[in-house]
Each structure stands twice: as structure tokens, then as C-alpha cells.
């Protein structure tokens, strides 16, 4: 079915005879495969007598060979998976040696922070998980999600989304709407030797939320902002190059060397915010982050520092 998809990705009409000849199967077999594509990947395929078949909208499918040629990590491209983060951890448990990169055309159980579902339509967005081995103790993990955010920000700007910015701890926004998110997951002892999955989700060519997915916050995509389809292979190449660069800086000099740069792109710097920590809500003004990536807030005239995966930050006047 992958070969059939690559023929159809241009969004143009192709006759059943043409498709069958290209793949080496009968027209009847093409019909069955098209039905399977619609069912398995929730794709809409238009069928017009005398013209043939076409996808409702063109796709920019990922190509493992193109990505691998510009990447220093072994690359696994999956058509469909529950979660690229979960798959990376499964491969680690099965004896795979990091670093390794897992990307997918679609996730069936994509996850964001705090257990939130990440909408993952087929062939539209980016679902990207880089598994790394980390040694040297906690210093190598300090501010890591923020460093990934800087790499992702540069990739978005390289793609032409110049107004993108960061929201602590691991979201990227454009005009108050989420365009990308980061989810880090650890395996092993963070004080000694461990493994970390850098999970990245980016809304690239999504035009509408997929059926059945109720996205609980404002969102946007590169396509909506730029007004045209984006080459996802080119974006993956850019993102991977930026990640390699920022991870090298982080490994050599720590997050402290990137702290000022991160704060310059923090959209809520100096803003009044409400920080949710469990059932508690803490109101304060954002001062920035410290050398470990923790959030610095001015609360009732005093500076307080917050870190942890279960914290959620909102603007104070954001209902």
C-alpha cells in the first residue's frame, strides 16, 4: 500500500489501469487496496468514473532514505504506531543501541504532557522520537527539554514561521496557538547512566482536526501559517540538524550557556501567570528560568523556583 500511496500523494487523478500497471496488480486489486487505505489510515479518496482516483488533499510523505542521508542517527520510519516514544522505548528494551530515531506517518495513541492525547492524522504532521544514552549524572538532563525547544524553534523559523516562540516548559506557540510540543521520557537511573527519549510533535500540514479528536486548546500548523503544503522531509532534516547542534552545546557547556537565548524567545517573559501544581494554583510574574531550566516566578514580592513534569502554566487572564 505504501507504493500506492506514493503514486497518489500528488492529489491528482490516477486511473485504476495506470495505478495497477505501476504497481503490477489488477484493477480489482487496486480497488481493494484503496478501500484498505481509507479504512486503516482514515484517508478520504475520491472516485470519479472516467477519471480515476485521487486523495482528498495532497500529502507530503516521509522518505526514510532521504532522511537517513542527512542524519547521523539510524532512522526507522513506520507507517503507523501507537506512539513513537513508546516504540523507541520498546526497541531499547529489545536490545537496540542508541542513538536511534523513530518517526511515523501516524500515531494511534499519541501522547502529550500530563497524559493528554496528541492528535496524529496520517501523513500530515511530524511524530518524532530520538532515543539517546545519557551519562554524567543529572547535569546532562538539566534544561534538556528547553534545549530541544530551542532546536525546534530554529527549525520552525528556518521553515518561514518567524513569529514562533517558546512557552515554558515545552510548548511552541504562534499567535497564542500551539504548533509543537515536546515530551521527554526517561529510562534508567538519571544520577548515573540512563536513556532519554526526546519526543517531538509538530503540526505541519494539518488543516482541520481529525475526526474523533477534540483538541482541547487553540492550535495552528505550518500550512495554515504559510498558506501552502510543507515538505515534511525537508523539515525533518532541518530539525535533526538543529538538534545535533544544540545537543552538542548542551553536552559541552550545559543549559546555563543557553539560558539567556531561551529567555529571549520565551513568549511569557515578564507576564503575569497562573501555575497549576496539582490542585494548587500559584499566581506570579515570570522572571525567567534558572541554570537548570526551572521556572523563576515572583510570587508576592519574592522569587520562587518551580520544576517538575506535572506543572502547567497559563497566562493569569487566560480563561
Amino acid at each position: 500500500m505504501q507504493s500506492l500511496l506514493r503514486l497518489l500523494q500528488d492529489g491528482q487523478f490516477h486511473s485504476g489501469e495506470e495505478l495497477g500497471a505501476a504497481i503490477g496488480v489488477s484493477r480489482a486489486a487496486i480497488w481493494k487496496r484503496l478501500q484498505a487505505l481509507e479504512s486503516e489510515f482514515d484517508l478520504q479518496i475520491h472516485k470519479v468514473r472516467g477519471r480515476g482516483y485521487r486523495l482528498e488533499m495532497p500529502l507530503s510523505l516521509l522518505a526514510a532514505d532521504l532522511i537517513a542521508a542527512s542524519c547521523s542517527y539510524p532512522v526507522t520510519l513506520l507507517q503507523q504506531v501507537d506512539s513513537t516514544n513508546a516504540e523507541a522505548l520498546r526497541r531499547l528494551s529489545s536490545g537496540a543501541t542508541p542513538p536511534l530515531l523513530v518517526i511515523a506517518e501516524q500515531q494511534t495513541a499519541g501522547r502529550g504532557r500530563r497524559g493528554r492525547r496528541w492528535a496524529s492524522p496520517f501523513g500530515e504532521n511530524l511524530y518524532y522520537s530520538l532515543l539517546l544514552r545519557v551519562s554524567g549524572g543529572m547535569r546532562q538532563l538539566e534544561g534538556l527539554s528547553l534545549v530541544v525547544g530551542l532546536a525546534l524553534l530554529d527549525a520552525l523559523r528556518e521553515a518561514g514561521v518567524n513569529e514562533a516562540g517558546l512557552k515554558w516548559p515545552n510548548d511552541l506557540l504562534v499567535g497564542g496557538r500551539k504548533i509543537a510540543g515536546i515530551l521527554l521520557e526517561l529510562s534508567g537511573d538519571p544520577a548515573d547512566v540512563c536513556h532519554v527519549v526526546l519526543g517531538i510533535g509538530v503540526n505541519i500540514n494539518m488543516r482541520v482536526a481529525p475526526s474523533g479528536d477534540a483538541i482541547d486548546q487553540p492550535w495552528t500548523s505550518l500550512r495554515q501559517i504559510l498558506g501552502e503544503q510543507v515538505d515534511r522531509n525537508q523539515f525533518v532534516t532541518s530539525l535533526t540538524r538543529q538538534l545535533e547542534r544544540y545537543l552538542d552545546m548542551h553536552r559541552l557547556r550545559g543549559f546555563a550557556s543557553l539560558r539567556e537565548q531561551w529567555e529571549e524567545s520565551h513568549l511569557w517573559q515578564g507576564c503575569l501567570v497562573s501555575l497549576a501544581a496539582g490542585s494548587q494554583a500559584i499566581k506570579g510574574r515570570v522572571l525567567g528560568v534558572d541554570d537548570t531550566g526551572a521556572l523563576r516566578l515572583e510570587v508576592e514580592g519574592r522569587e520562587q523556583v518551580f520544576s517538575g513534569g506535572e506543572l502547567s502554566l497559563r497566562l493569569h487572564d487566560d480563561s
Side-chain angles (χ1 to χ4, degrees):
M1 289 195 293
Q2 187 174 0
S3 298
L4 182 57
L5 265 176
R6 295 206 173 276
L7 291 170
L8 292 169
Q9 70 173 323
D10 60 7
Q12 303 299 310
F13 276 106
H14 298 269
S15 70
E17 183 178 4
E18 172 193 345
L19 295 172
I23 299 176
V25 299
S26 67
R27 292 177 63 182
I30 288 294
W31 171 247
K32 290 181 179 178
R33 294 188 187 189
L34 289 171
Q35 289 180 307
L37 284 176
E38 286 187 306
S39 173
E40 185 171 350
F41 300 126
D42 194 27
L43 293 171
Q44 296 296 315
I45 299 175
H46 294 295
K47 314 165 187 69
V48 178
R49 183 180 297 275
R51 301 190 68 186
Y53 310 95
R54 71 169 178 85
L55 291 174
E56 181 182 28
M57 292 295 295
L59 293 175
S60 172
L61 296 176
L62 296 171
D65 55 343
L66 292 178
I67 296 170
S70 59
C71 176
S72 61
Y73 311 119
V75 178
T76 297
L77 170 60
L78 303 172
Q79 292 299 295
Q80 191 177 74
V81 70
D82 55 350
S83 156
T84 55
N85 269 23
E87 178 64 21
L89 290 171
R90 282 193 293 266
R91 289 173 181 253
L92 177 65
S93 297
S94 299
T97 302
L100 60 88
L101 174 61
V102 178
I103 52 179
E105 293 286 7
Q106 184 176 41
Q107 294 181 130
T108 58
R111 293 171 290 131
R113 287 183 65 243
R114 306 173 75 199
R116 289 174 172 167
R117 177 177 171 82
W118 185 274
S120 308
F122 182 89
E124 295 186 10
N125 298 331
L126 178 61
Y127 321 115
Y128 179 114
S129 294
L130 177 61
L131 175 68
L132 300 173
R133 182 181 184 272
V134 178
S135 60
M138 290 297 296
R139 180 181 176 278
Q140 295 300 318
L141 297 172
E142 290 175 348
L144 185 56
S145 66
L146 278 65
V147 171
V148 175
L150 284 170
L152 185 47
L153 181 63
D154 276 8
L156 287 170
R157 289 174 174 171
E158 191 170 289
V161 184
N162 297 317
E163 60 271 44
L166 302 162
K167 175 201 163 191
W168 187 90
N170 47 20
D171 288 344
L172 285 91
L173 310 178
V174 177
R177 297 178 176 272
K178 186 168 180 176
I179 193 170
I182 300 159
L183 178 64
L184 268 57
E185 296 188 270
L186 293 175
S187 175
D189 182 0
D192 185 17
V193 176
C194 68
H195 296 90
V196 60
V197 180
L198 311 180
I200 298 172
V202 186
N203 298 331
I204 295 185
N205 287 321
M206 188 162 68
R207 297 170 294 112
V208 296
S211 58
D213 276 327
I215 301 177
D216 63 356
Q217 60 187 304
W219 65 272
T220 189
S221 67
L222 276 80
R223 181 173 187 152
Q224 287 189 352
I225 295 165
L226 300 175
E228 60 185 8
Q229 180 173 274
V230 174
D231 185 330
R232 292 193 300 146
N233 290 296
Q234 185 174 325
F235 187 86
V236 172
T237 298
S238 172
L239 173 59
T240 304
R241 183 178 69 253
Q242 297 293 354
L243 270 175
E244 290 175 339
R245 184 167 69 91
Y246 276 99
L247 290 172
D248 279 345
M249 288 189 284
H250 181 258
R251 182 174 58 254
L252 294 172
R253 301 193 295 272
F255 176 70
S257 66
L258 296 165
R259 169 183 166 182
E260 183 177 347
Q261 180 182 346
W262 191 93
E263 289 180 337
E264 288 174 351
S265 294
H266 189 208
L267 294 169
W268 293 2
Q269 197 76 5
C271 294
L272 290 173
V273 297
S274 178
L275 181 70
S279 60
Q280 184 182 16
I282 302 162
K283 294 180 174 60
R285 185 181 299 275
V286 176
L287 299 175
V289 292
D290 69 9
D291 286 350
T292 70
L295 181 69
R296 299 166 52 235
L297 287 185
E298 180 187 344
V299 181
E300 297 180 348
R302 298 180 59 188
E303 179 176 326
Q304 295 186 30
V305 178
F306 301 89
S307 62
E310 296 305 312
L311 299 177
S312 177
L313 193 66
R314 292 184 179 274
L315 288 174
H316 181 40
D317 59 353
D318 183 2
S319 59

